[in-house]
Amino acid sequence: FILKGSPVTADPPNVIIMLMDDMGWGDLGWNGEPSRETPNIDRLAAEGLTVPHMYTAAPLCSPSRASLLTGRLPIRNGFYSDNTHGMNAYTPQEIMGGIPDEEVLLPEALAARNYTSGLIGKWHLGHRDQYLPLKHGFHSWFGAPNCHFGPYSGITTPNIPVFRDDHMLGRYFKDFAIDKNNGVSNMTALFIQEAVEFIERESNKGPFFLFWTPDSIHAPTYSSPHVRGTSRRGRYGDAVKETDAGVGAIVEALRTQGVDNNTLIFFSSDNGAALVSKTEGGSNGPFLCGKQTTFEGGMRAPGIFWWPGVIPAGSVSYQVMTHMDLFSTVAQIAGAEIPSDRIIDGLPLYNSLIHPELEVLRPVFLYRGDRLMAVRKGSYKMHLWTFSTPTEEMERGINFCPGEEIPNLTTPIPTNHTDKPILFNIEVDPGEKYPISRFTQEYSKQVTELQQVVSDHETLLVPGEPMLNWCDNAVMHWSPPGCEALGDCINPPESNPYLCVWDH
Amino acid sequence: FILKGSPVTADPPNVIIMLMDDMGWGDLGWNGEPSRETPNIDRLAAEGLTVPHMYTAAPLCSPSRASLLTGRLPIRNGFYSDNTHGMNAYTPQEIMGGIPDEEVLLPEALAARNYTSGLIGKWHLGHRDQYLPLKHGFHSWFGAPNCHFGPYSGITTPNIPVFRDDHMLGRYFKDFAIDKNNGVSNMTALFIQEAVEFIERESNKGPFFLFWTPDSIHAPTYSSPHVRGTSRRGRYGDAVKETDAGVGAIVEALRTQGVDNNTLIFFSSDNGAALVSKTEGGSNGPFLCGKQTTFEGGMRAPGIFWWPGVIPAGSVSYQVMTHMDLFSTVAQIAGAEIPSDRIIDGLPLYNSLIHPELEVLRPVFLYRGDRLMAVRKGSYKMHLWTFSTPTEEMERGINFCPGEEIPNLTTPIPTNHTDKPILFNIEVDPGEKYPISRFTQEYSKQVTELQQVVSDHETLLVPGEPMLNWCDNAVMHWSPPGCEALGDCINPPESNPYLCVWDH
Ligand SMILES: [Ca+2]
Ligand SMILES: [Ca+2]
C-alpha cells in the first residue's frame, strides 16, 4: 500500500530515535531496576507513552538496527546469514556485506519531506564505503561503523575508526581513548555534546531526524571519568547513568530551543541485556534469558514515546509493537511515502500513540538468522524452535540464560517443535515458565490460529539475498576514507573471502 | 534505649500501614510489572518515597506480621518453631500458640499517644481468645484471624470466622461467600468500604492507626464480580487490581476528610510472591525464588512511604530497611515510647524518610524458623544456610524456585555454608546469580565483617519461647466468641496436643 501526502500535524515534527546498545528491559528504574538510576528516562516515560510489549526485530545489534531503519525483517533486508541455519549474524570488521542499496532507509524516506537526518553513535549496517550512513540517507554522522572492540595492534586487525560524516577522524583506543580495563572513556560525553549541537544547529531550520546510538552499554562498557564509580550497580550502571544523563541533556536542549512540543522522541534498546557479561551486563527484568536468544529477554526492549501535547502524558499502550513499526509510523507522521513495491513489516501506528487504548491485533515474528523461531500475537507466544547456549560455549563459561532453565525450552541445541509448538500466555506468564498444556482447548485454538499466521507469513516470504555470509580480512578498517590526511592508512592483506562462521 | 517524649510533628499524624498478602515486589507497575495495572499504588510511589531495599522479617505470613507489629525478629517474639530446625511455621487453625502477652504491639505503643487503632483484614497472630486483636491493642477489627482457606465441612474442620471487633459475624464460604473455583468474592470490597468508613469516623477525632490487610492476593485469589476478568494477568491480576483500587479509595477518603497532609501511609507486602502458585501467583521481578525462601524473592517487598508535605515527593531511599523498622519509626513519629526492657530489631528511621540521602549502615537478619539463613548489610548479602524446595515436595509438583537453579544455592535440602559462606553484592547482582569468588580480597573483607556481625547478633540472642510448636485440633475455630448468637457453635473434638509438622 501507499501512504503518503499529509503529515499528521501541520508542521511535521522533529524525530529523535534513541537506541541504546544491549540495554535490558529491566535496566530502567521505570521498569523496576532496584537502584532506580535512570531519572531522565523515567521522566520521559512519565511524560509520555510506555509500550511494555515492544520487540526488537532481532536479538542482536546489526540486524536489529537494519530492521528498525528499513521497517523490514532481517530475512527480507538481507541482514542474516544462511551459512548455518538459525544462527545469529552481525557485521564484524571482516564482514563483506552491508545494507543493500535497494533498501529504503528511514532518513531516505524522510528526505522527501525535507528532513535533515543525523546519526550520532554506532552504525553497524556495514562499514565498506558503499554501506556507510551518508550513502544511505544521513546528512551527517559522528561515530563508528562498528562496536568499540579492541585495542588491536594494527598488524592482524586494525582499530575501529571514528567518523565525521564521510571520513575518519581517528581510531578507537589510538585517537579516541577507551581505557578498557577500567571502563573509562569520554565517548558518551562526545555523543551527548554532538547531539546537543545538532539540535542547536537544526532547530531553526526544517524538521530533523536524529538517530542517537551511543554504545557504551555494550561490553566492554565505559563511562566518563566524572561518572565512573558513581553507580550502585558498578561499571555497567555507570554506563547506564551517563546515557540517562544524555537523555536529560537532549530533552533540555529541545526545551532551550523551544522545539520540545514539536519533537517526537522514541527511546529503546537494540536487543536485550547480554547476560553473558554476568555482573557487568544488564537486566531483562522478569523476562527469560537475554541477547542472542528469541526468548523475551532477548527481544523485549524498553519502549517510550514522548511528544508533549500530542501523546498523552503518563499513558500506557498494550499494543504489541516492533521496532520496524518506527519506520512506518515516523513516515506516517511526517507524511512521507512508505514504499509500496516491497513488503514492509512495520505498521503505521500513529493512532495507537495518541489513542493508547487502541490495539491492533498483529503478529510479530521472532527470527534467529534465517529461521523463524517464534511468533507473538495478542497475549500468546508460540515457539517453533528453541535454542539457548550451545554446549561447547557453555563449557567455555558462556551462558545466554544463566541460572534459568526451563525444560524443553532453553535447549542447548536448536530444537524443532513445529509439530508440537510450545505455547505461552505471555501476559500471564512473562517469564515463559509455564507452557500451556497441549491437552487444553486453549492450546488447540491458539496454536491452530498461530500456525495459520505462520503459514501465511511463510507463503509470502521471499528471503532477501543474505548479506552476512561472506567474510574477508582484507575488508577490515585498514584504510577508511580520510586515512590519508591522518597518515593512518594501513595496507590490507590480500583478499581471501571465506564463509563467515556463526557460532550461535 | 528509650525514645519518647515529643512526636516529630506538632500533631502526631495518622498512620496507615497497608500490608498486602503474598504480593510480589515485581507486581507493581512501579517495579516493572509489564501490564502496569497498579496506577494507584504507583501514584503513591510517585508522590512519596520508594525504598527498593525493603525486607520482610520472615518469608511467610504469621511471623512476618508478628515482627512488623512488635519490631522484633520472630526468634525473639516467639513466632517460630523448633520442632525441626530451620523450617517455616505459621498459624494454621490447629495452632495452639499466638502472640505472647509480653510483646508490645504497635497499637499498644501508640495507645499512650491517644491513637485509635483499627485492623481491617487478616490477623494471623493467633486465633484463640487471648491472641485476638482487641486483646493486643486494636480498638476495632473487621476481618478474619486466619487465611481464607476452605470450604470445610464443619465435621473435621470448621470454616474460618469473620470477626467484627471481639465477636464473629459469620464464616467464610458459609456467610461470607468465596467462590473458590471462579475466584470471586466481595471480601476486598468490604475491606475497602470498612477502611473508608474508619477514616470518615476517625478523622475528626484524635490520631488513628489503621492496619489494612486485605488477603485476596493470597491463594486462592479472589476479586469482586465487577473486577473479575478485567486484568491482563488473569485471576491473580484481578486481585491485585482490586487492591490497587482500594489504595486509591483510601487516599481519596483522606483527601475528602482533609487529613491527607497529616497522614503517613506505608505500603508493602508480608512476603514475596508465592511462586508455587505458578500462573496464579505473582512476580518477584528480578529477584530469586519466592515465598518460603530467604532468597531475595522471598523477603524483598515493595516499600512505599507517603506523607504529602513531609516526605519528599518522588524520592528514593537506598536505606536497607525491614518491616520491623515500622514499629520503631512509627513510634518515633508519634512520640510514643519504644520499650527499653527488650531488644527491638527495628530502627527509628524518621530521618531517612525526610532526608532520603541518609543511609544508616545496619544489618538485616534473614531467618527461616529458628535458623539464621543469611544476613544483608550494605551492598552485601551472605548466605550461611541455603534451602529451596525439599525433594519430596518437588516430586509433588511444588517448587519455590521454578525455572531458577543456582548451583550450591537453591539446594533441595538445608545446606550448611557457615564455613564457606556464599557472598553476593546484591546491588550489582540482585538476582543472586554470581557468588563472589572466595579467592578475592572483597570476599575476605566482607565475609570477615559479616561474620563478626553474625557473631555479635548470636551472642546477644536469647530466643523467645517458640509459640508455633504445638497443634491441637480442639483449638480450631469450632466456637469463636459470638457463635452462640449466630447459632454457629460447633462442638470441638477432644483435646489432643501434638507437635506441629512443618514441611519446609
Ligand atoms: Ca546491541
Ligand atoms: Ca503472606
Side-chain angles (χ1 to χ4, degrees):
Chain A
F1 61 95
I2 296 181
L3 199 150
K4 64 176 172 179
S6 307
V8 297
T9 51
D11 293 317
N14 306 310
V15 175
I16 302 178
I17 296 181
M18 301 171 162
L19 193 68
M20 304 302 103
D21 202 347
D22 290 12
M23 174 190 263
W25 194 91
D27 280 323
L28 309 187
W30 188 255
N31 283 345
E33 198 292 308
S35 293
R36 305 192 86 90
E37 294 184 325
T38 54
N40 294 289
I41 301 167
D42 297 353
R43 194 173 313 132
L44 213 61
E47 296 174 1
L49 171 73
T50 299
V51 181
H53 299 278
M54 175 63 69
Y55 288 88
T56 66
L60 76 169
C61 307
S62 296
S64 171
R65 289 155 191 253
S67 292
L68 186 153
L69 288 174
T70 60
R72 285 151 56 78
L73 281 166
I75 192 74
R76 297 193 214 275
N77 66 31
F79 261 63
Y80 72 101
S81 162
D82 57 8
N83 289 352
T84 314
H85 293 307
M87 295 292 165
N88 290 319
Y90 74 111
T91 54
Q93 279 207 63
E94 61 271 25
I95 199 78
M96 292 184 67
I99 189 73
D101 261 347
E102 296 72 33
E103 292 297 319
V104 177
L105 272 65
L106 181 55
E108 294 175 308
L110 293 176
R113 285 288 168 184
N114 299 315
Y115 274 74
T116 300
S117 294
L119 169 64
I120 297 172
K122 188 173 90 171
W123 173 235
H124 235 186
L125 265 62
H127 62 279
R128 294 168 73 196
D129 292 3
Q130 66 270 36
Y131 300 127
L132 291 175
L134 269 63
K135 299 280 174 65
H136 292 271
F138 285 99
H139 301 99
S140 65
W141 177 31
F142 175 76
N146 290 66
C147 286
H148 54 274
F149 294 147
Y152 300 113
S153 64
I155 309 295
T156 57
T157 309
N159 278 311
I160 304 291
V162 173
F163 275 68
R164 165 77 69 200
D165 301 332
D166 59 1
H167 60 277
M168 84 182 258
L169 286 178
R171 295 181 188 270
Y172 277 138
F173 296 98
K174 195 167 157 289
D175 310 294
F176 291 86
I178 299 177
D179 177 345
K180 191 177 148 186
N181 291 334
N182 296 305
V184 175
S185 171
N186 70 344
M187 284 310 301
T188 303
L190 293 181
F191 291 141
I192 295 169
Q193 183 189 326
E194 288 280 335
V196 169
E197 288 173 9
F198 177 91
I199 291 164
E200 289 169 352
R201 191 168 68 240
E202 297 297 334
S203 284
N204 296 318
K205 304 182 188 168
F208 65 74
F209 167 49
L210 171 61
F211 191 34
W212 190 62
T213 60
D215 65 345
S216 58
I217 297 172
H218 189 298
T221 59
Y222 63 75
S223 55
S224 293
H226 72 282
V227 178
R228 183 74 182 100
T230 63
S231 167
R232 306 183 76 97
R233 302 177 67 199
R235 176 173 169 166
Y236 181 87
D238 291 338
V240 171
K241 273 187 82 168
E242 188 167 17
T243 307
D244 177 75
V247 171
I250 288 173
V251 171
E252 184 57 30
L254 296 175
R255 294 203 164 111
T256 302
Q257 297 299 318
V259 296
D260 46 323
N261 288 323
N262 192 34
T263 301
L264 167 68
I265 294 179
F266 173 66
F267 179 92
S268 194
S269 173
D270 66 342
N271 48 252
L275 302 188
V276 284
S277 297
K278 300 176 181 162
T279 54
E280 296 198 359
S283 164
N284 294 315
F287 300 121
L288 184 66
C289 302
K291 180 179 177 179
Q292 304 288 357
T293 77
T294 48
F295 303 114
E296 294 294 291
M299 299 184 66
R300 192 85 80 101
I304 301 170
F305 290 89
W306 179 93
W307 187 358
V310 178
I311 291 175
S315 53
V316 177
S317 164
Y318 300 106
Q319 176 67 47
V320 175
M321 285 194 199
T322 139
H323 279 175
M324 297 178 283
D325 299 334
L326 264 293
F327 176 87
S328 304
T329 302
V330 169
Q332 175 191 28
I333 288 171
E337 191 171 340
I338 297 176
S340 59
D341 60 346
R342 65 196 70 194
I343 289 178
I344 301 286
D345 295 285
L347 298 180
L349 291 173
Y350 174 67
N351 278 341
S352 300
L353 305 186
I354 56 170
H355 301 296
E357 70 283 4
L358 295 179
E359 280 182 67
V360 179
L361 197 61
R362 60 83 73 87
V364 168
F365 299 99
L366 309 182
Y367 273 84
R368 185 161 175 149
D370 64 346
R371 178 171 282 154
L372 179 62
M373 303 286 289
V375 58
R376 164 81 194 262
K377 190 179 176 192
S379 304
Y380 293 92
K381 179 176 179 181
M382 179 176 81
H383 291 272
L384 297 167
W385 285 79
T386 57
F387 185 22
S388 61
T389 313
T391 308
E392 322 75 87
E393 297 194 334
M394 192 76 99
E395 283 163 2
R396 299 204 313 271
I398 293 171
N399 191 344
F400 300 124
C401 305
E404 299 173 323
E405 198 160 316
I406 313 290
N408 202 32
L409 192 73
T410 51
T411 56
I413 55 167
T415 304
N416 187 345
H417 304 275
T418 46
D419 281 351
K420 296 170 182 172
I422 299 173
L423 182 73
F424 292 99
N425 181 322
I426 216 72
E427 297 198 276
V428 170
D429 177 18
E432 293 168 287
K433 285 185 177 170
Y434 310 105
I436 296 170
S437 164
R438 288 196 286 117
F439 308 105
T440 58
Q441 279 201 317
E442 184 182 20
Y443 181 92
S444 307
K445 179 175 182 307
Q446 297 300 333
V447 166
T448 302
E449 188 182 324
L450 287 166
Q451 281 174 326
Q452 185 62 51
V453 164
V454 168
S455 165
D456 292 349
H457 170 71
E458 292 186 332
T459 302
L460 283 174
L461 182 68
V462 182
E465 189 193 334
M467 300 301 293
L468 308 180
N469 276 356
W470 288 94
C471 288
D472 182 353
N473 289 356
V475 305
M476 288 183 173
H477 301 284
W478 305 103
S479 297
C483 69
E484 299 84 355
L486 298 168
D488 194 4
C489 303
I490 309 174
N491 279 336
E494 263 187 58
S495 173
N496 179 25
Y498 58 93
L499 285 173
C500 313
V501 176
W502 304 113
D503 291 326
H504 43 248
Chain B
F1 60 96
I2 295 180
L3 200 151
K4 63 173 170 180
S6 307
V8 297
T9 51
D11 293 318
N14 306 309
V15 174
I16 301 178
I17 295 180
M18 300 171 163
L19 193 68
M20 303 303 103
D21 201 346
D22 290 12
M23 174 191 263
W25 193 93
D27 280 326
L28 308 187
W30 188 255
N31 283 344
E33 199 291 308
S35 293
R36 305 193 86 89
E37 294 183 326
T38 55
N40 294 288
I41 302 167
D42 298 352
R43 193 173 314 132
L44 214 60
E47 296 174 1
L49 170 73
T50 300
V51 181
H53 299 277
M54 175 63 69
Y55 288 88
T56 65
L60 75 169
C61 308
S62 296
S64 171
R65 289 156 192 253
S67 291
L68 186 153
L69 288 173
T70 61
R72 284 152 57 78
L73 281 166
I75 191 75
R76 298 193 213 275
N77 66 30
F79 260 64
Y80 72 101
S81 162
D82 57 7
N83 289 352
T84 313
H85 292 308
M87 296 290 165
N88 290 319
Y90 73 109
T91 54
Q93 278 207 63
E94 60 272 25
I95 199 78
M96 292 184 68
I99 189 74
D101 260 347
E102 297 71 32
E103 293 297 321
V104 178
L105 273 65
L106 182 54
E108 294 175 309
L110 293 176
R113 286 288 167 183
N114 298 315
Y115 275 73
T116 300
S117 294
L119 169 64
I120 297 172
K122 188 172 90 172
W123 173 233
H124 235 187
L125 265 61
H127 63 278
R128 294 168 74 195
D129 292 2
Q130 65 270 38
Y131 300 128
L132 292 175
L134 269 64
K135 300 280 174 62
H136 292 271
F138 285 98
H139 301 100
S140 66
W141 177 31
F142 175 77
N146 289 66
C147 288
H148 54 273
F149 293 147
Y152 300 113
S153 64
I155 308 295
T156 58
T157 310
N159 278 309
I160 304 291
V162 173
F163 275 68
R164 163 78 68 200
D165 301 332
D166 59 1
H167 60 277
M168 84 182 258
L169 286 179
R171 296 182 189 269
Y172 277 139
F173 295 98
K174 196 169 155 289
D175 309 294
F176 291 87
I178 299 176
D179 177 346
K180 192 177 147 185
N181 291 334
N182 296 306
V184 175
S185 170
N186 70 343
M187 284 310 301
T188 303
L190 293 181
F191 291 141
I192 295 170
Q193 182 188 328
E194 289 281 334
V196 169
E197 287 173 8
F198 177 91
I199 291 165
E200 290 170 353
R201 190 169 68 240
E202 298 298 334
S203 285
N204 296 319
K205 304 181 188 169
F208 66 75
F209 166 49
L210 172 60
F211 192 34
W212 190 62
T213 60
D215 65 346
S216 58
I217 297 172
H218 189 299
T221 59
Y222 61 76
S223 55
S224 292
H226 71 283
V227 177
R228 184 74 182 99
T230 63
S231 166
R232 307 184 74 96
R233 302 176 65 199
R235 177 171 169 166
Y236 181 87
D238 291 339
V240 171
K241 274 188 80 167
E242 188 166 17
T243 308
D244 177 76
V247 172
I250 288 172
V251 171
E252 183 57 30
L254 296 175
R255 293 204 163 111
T256 301
Q257 297 299 318
V259 296
D260 45 324
N261 289 324
N262 192 35
T263 301
L264 167 68
I265 294 179
F266 173 66
F267 178 91
S268 194
S269 174
D270 66 344
N271 47 252
L275 302 188
V276 284
S277 297
K278 301 177 181 164
T279 54
E280 295 198 0
S283 164
N284 295 314
F287 300 121
L288 185 66
C289 301
K291 180 177 177 179
Q292 304 287 358
T293 79
T294 48
F295 303 113
E296 294 294 290
M299 297 183 67
R300 192 85 79 99
I304 301 169
F305 290 90
W306 179 92
W307 187 358
V310 178
I311 291 176
S315 53
V316 178
S317 164
Y318 299 107
Q319 176 67 48
V320 175
M321 285 194 199
T322 138
H323 279 174
M324 295 178 285
D325 299 334
L326 265 291
F327 176 87
S328 304
T329 302
V330 169
Q332 176 191 27
I333 287 171
E337 191 172 341
I338 295 176
S340 58
D341 60 347
R342 64 196 71 195
I343 290 180
I344 302 286
D345 295 284
L347 298 180
L349 291 173
Y350 174 67
N351 279 340
S352 300
L353 305 186
I354 58 170
H355 301 296
E357 70 284 3
L358 295 179
E359 279 182 67
V360 180
L361 197 60
R362 59 84 72 88
V364 168
F365 299 99
L366 309 183
Y367 273 84
R368 186 161 173 146
D370 63 347
R371 179 170 281 154
L372 178 62
M373 302 287 290
V375 57
R376 163 80 195 262
K377 189 179 177 192
S379 304
Y380 294 92
K381 180 175 179 180
M382 180 176 79
H383 291 272
L384 296 167
W385 285 79
T386 57
F387 186 22
S388 60
T389 313
T391 307
E392 325 72 89
E393 295 194 333
M394 191 78 98
E395 283 163 1
R396 298 205 313 271
I398 293 171
N399 190 345
F400 301 123
C401 305
E404 298 173 324
E405 198 160 316
I406 314 290
N408 202 33
L409 192 74
T410 51
T411 56
I413 56 167
T415 305
N416 187 345
H417 305 274
T418 47
D419 281 351
K420 297 171 183 170
I422 299 172
L423 183 72
F424 293 99
N425 181 322
I426 214 73
E427 297 197 276
V428 169
D429 177 19
E432 292 168 286
K433 284 185 178 172
Y434 310 106
I436 295 170
S437 164
R438 287 196 287 118
F439 308 106
T440 58
Q441 279 201 315
E442 184 183 20
Y443 181 92
S444 307
K445 179 176 183 304
Q446 297 300 332
V447 165
T448 301
E449 189 182 322
L450 287 166
Q451 281 175 328
Q452 187 60 50
V453 165
V454 168
S455 166
D456 293 348
H457 170 71
E458 291 185 332
T459 301
L460 283 174
L461 183 68
V462 181
E465 188 194 337
M467 300 302 292
L468 308 181
N469 276 356
W470 289 95
C471 287
D472 182 353
N473 289 354
V475 304
M476 288 183 173
H477 300 283
W478 305 104
S479 298
C483 70
E484 300 84 355
L486 297 168
D488 193 4
C489 305
I490 310 174
N491 280 334
E494 263 188 59
S495 174
N496 179 25
Y498 57 93
L499 286 173
C500 313
V501 176
W502 304 116
D503 291 326
H504 42 248

